[in-house]
Amino acid sequence: MSIAENVKLVKENMAAAAIRCGRDPKEIKLVAATKMNDASRVREAIAAGVDICGENRVQELQEKLAQGAYDGCPLHFIGHLQKNKVKNIVGKVELIHSVDSVSLAQEINRRAAALGITQDILLEVNIGAEENKSGFAPDELANALDEIAKFSSVRVLGLMAIPPICEISENNRVYFRRMKQLFIDIGQKKYDNVCMLLLSMGMSADYEVAVEEGASLVRVGTGIFGARNYK
């Protein structure tokens, strides 16, 4: 199938999942995970109607920006972000999904302040308590938000998670459900510079389940572009 056909299918599946649980399909946005796809393929995805482009790697993002790959589409950063690369991301993207520590948020705040802007971010949650994954433990979020809320040049718009890899997508429902509850709980508290608007969860293998459990952003790469060749 072509990129355009894949985008059409994914969006149809998203809409059907939303309707199944009584949600408006317009509430959920499709983030095309563009890692390892060149500028021409990214442009194809944009022409096919993806809502947002999401880049995982700083170097790729810089190269594709220079090529105008994302023109006409909002751009998010969705991969792991090292503090020494923050300067290359802040002000270049509308949203950073993967803020996994207070110190990273502090560096983003510092860079944003120097540019005179406010950078929107999501906090990444290690919802499966996996040792090999970054992110806040759920019970660390309250203290982290107490600190991050003090930063004047970042704004927390929600949460992001990557649950454990499962062969059966239904097995991730429990993690998505926990994320939704965290999202609701935080939203009921009052923090400066924090507004729970976005819940980023679900990828190619499980985005329909994520939509059913409250995702507002789903990050789909393989389902749009096909399997990546890592060789």
Side-chain angles (χ1 to χ4, degrees), residues 83-166:
K83 282 186 282 188
N84 65 341
K85 299 290 182 67
V86 166
K87 62 182 180 292
N88 300 316
I89 293 297
V90 170
K92 303 286 198 313
V93 300
E94 290 191 7
L95 183 68
I96 300 171
H97 289 225
S98 47
V99 177
D100 58 9
S101 68
V102 173
S103 61
L104 177 59
Q106 187 173 35
E107 179 62 13
I108 292 170
N109 180 72
R110 188 177 75 82
R111 292 286 180 177
L115 293 173
I117 64 170
T118 298
Q119 177 67 60
D120 290 333
I121 64 173
L122 305 180
L123 300 189
E124 182 174 357
V125 181
N126 186 353
I127 196 63
E130 297 176 271
E131 291 185 3
N132 63 334
K133 280 186 181 174
S134 56
F136 295 96
D139 60 5
E140 295 175 339
L141 278 175
N143 288 338
L145 283 163
D146 284 338
E147 291 299 311
I148 295 170
K150 299 172 186 175
F151 302 154
S152 61
S153 295
V154 296
R155 180 169 50 208
V156 179
L157 293 187
L159 305 176
M160 183 272 256
I162 304 173
I165 295 173
C166 293

